[in-house]
Amino acid sequence: MTHHVRSPLLRWLNPGLLALCSLAAQAQTPTGQSQLWLNAAAYHDTQRQDLVGVPGTVLSGRLDASDLTGAPDGSFGSMQFATAIGEVSATLIKLRSFGRAWARTNTGYYGANALADANAQVTVPFLIDDPALHGQRGTMVVPLLVSGDVVLDPGFYSSNNGSSASGRAYVMLWGSGFGALDCGSNGANHCLDVASNYAGTQTKGQGVSGVLEMRVPFVFGDWSQVSLQMWTHVAVSVTAGAGGGFIDYHGDADFSHTLRWGGISQVLDSSGQTLSQWSVQSVPGVDLRVAAVPEPGSWALLGSGLLMLLGWRVRQRRQAARA
């Protein structure tokens, strides 16, 4: 009978190799990335915020810029306000850009301007597998739920006193599987134009309303990634001419409701056939199979705030009645 004896070195080496293999497997698992970039500028007041995280967490921020200028005697003056708000997670993007400019003058010309940008992007690694199709190509089908609006006051120019108002507002979108490039330095040329408003006189774009379908290619058994990016922008400018009165102009690109991941609706094989047996992995805390929904805590917070406001109104009325 032959006896196999394991040396002390082998007994030590095998667990060590297992640990190294485990570390190597973890190192090969991508983590993904989320980013939020906000910019708000109102004449002398300019603010910027850049946040970076991982898809399993939520990035959020808000910038409010404002500037008031004018003469002590009231002969001229201006106000400008800009707000950029954003939130991004693995399956949800909320953005809003708002700008307002106001100016007046009794002599010459006087202007005001405001600009707000909110840009969010997220890249989420995923691995879909079907043992029978390992190594073959497939397609992940996901509905994106998009809602929001772009509003801009009508632009104008007065030949009597030279007063004018103009602006631009838009929301751009990019995602894996779309027929567009990523949102580069010039989003208008590289992203999907959801809605644009120029000087309040023209609205154009694809006008995505409700659902936009993503078809993301991948290889069964290999890590791939899905990316989303949204950009809201508002820029407004006014010039008041002597005797022209007050010039008040605003723009709002409000997608704070917003871009939500609709869950994986289908997984297709290379021939386009729908599969019923498949599994998916992603980063910790992210389930790509289900749709993003508002957190219960958010609804509870909103409800408690409304109840507090109602209670305050009741107390105010009682005090007024007693007086």
Side-chain angles (χ1 to χ4, degrees), residues 69-77:
T69 60
D73 61 2
S75 59
F76 63 87

Side-chain angles (χ1 to χ4, degrees), residues 215-277:
R215 289 179 169 261
V216 185
F218 67 91
V219 175
F220 286 97
D222 289 346
W223 280 99
S224 186
Q225 64 183 30
V226 58
S227 298
L228 288 171
Q229 184 174 6
M230 178 175 272
W231 182 4
T232 58
H233 167 88
V234 166
V236 295
S237 178
V238 298
T239 299
F246 301 98
I247 308 297
D248 191 356
Y249 191 71
H250 95 286
D252 191 3
D254 185 1
F255 277 73
S256 55
H257 304 292
T258 198
L259 178 70
R260 292 191 291 120
W261 179 266
I264 300 175
S265 62
Q266 287 180 293
V267 172
L268 310 177
D269 62 16
S270 57
S271 61
Q273 298 298 312
T274 302
L275 302 176
S276 58
Q277 300 294 327

Side-chain angles (χ1 to χ4, degrees), residues 49-98:
Q49 185 176 46
D50 294 284
L51 301 175
V52 179
V54 293
T57 61
V58 177
L59 298 179
S60 62
R62 173 173 181 148
L63 297 179
D64 293 288
S66 63
D67 187 83
L68 285 74
T69 60
D73 61 2
S75 59
F76 63 87
S78 70
M79 294 188 296
Q80 38 260 308
F81 307 95
T83 296
I85 306 172
E87 179 181 312
V88 57
S89 65
T91 56
L92 186 66
I93 295 179
K94 302 180 180 181
L95 298 178
R96 184 176 186 183
S97 296
F98 174 85

Side-chain angles (χ1 to χ4, degrees), residues 158-229:
S158 172
S159 58
N160 295 328
N161 52 45
S163 298
S164 65
S166 62
R168 181 183 184 189
Y170 60 73
V171 55
M172 301 290 173
L173 171 63
W174 179 85
S176 299
F178 291 170
L181 302 176
D182 65 280
C183 296
S185 59
N186 189 342
N189 291 335
H190 299 293
C191 293
L192 186 65
D193 186 355
V194 176
S196 299
N197 202 318
Y198 298 90
T201 60
Q202 183 182 15
T203 302
K204 65 177 184 178
Q206 282 77 6
V208 174
S209 176
V211 180
L212 181 66
E213 187 175 79
M214 297 180 68
R215 289 179 169 261
V216 185
F218 67 91
V219 175
F220 286 97
D222 289 346
W223 280 99
S224 186
Q225 64 183 30
V226 58
S227 298
L228 288 171
Q229 184 174 6

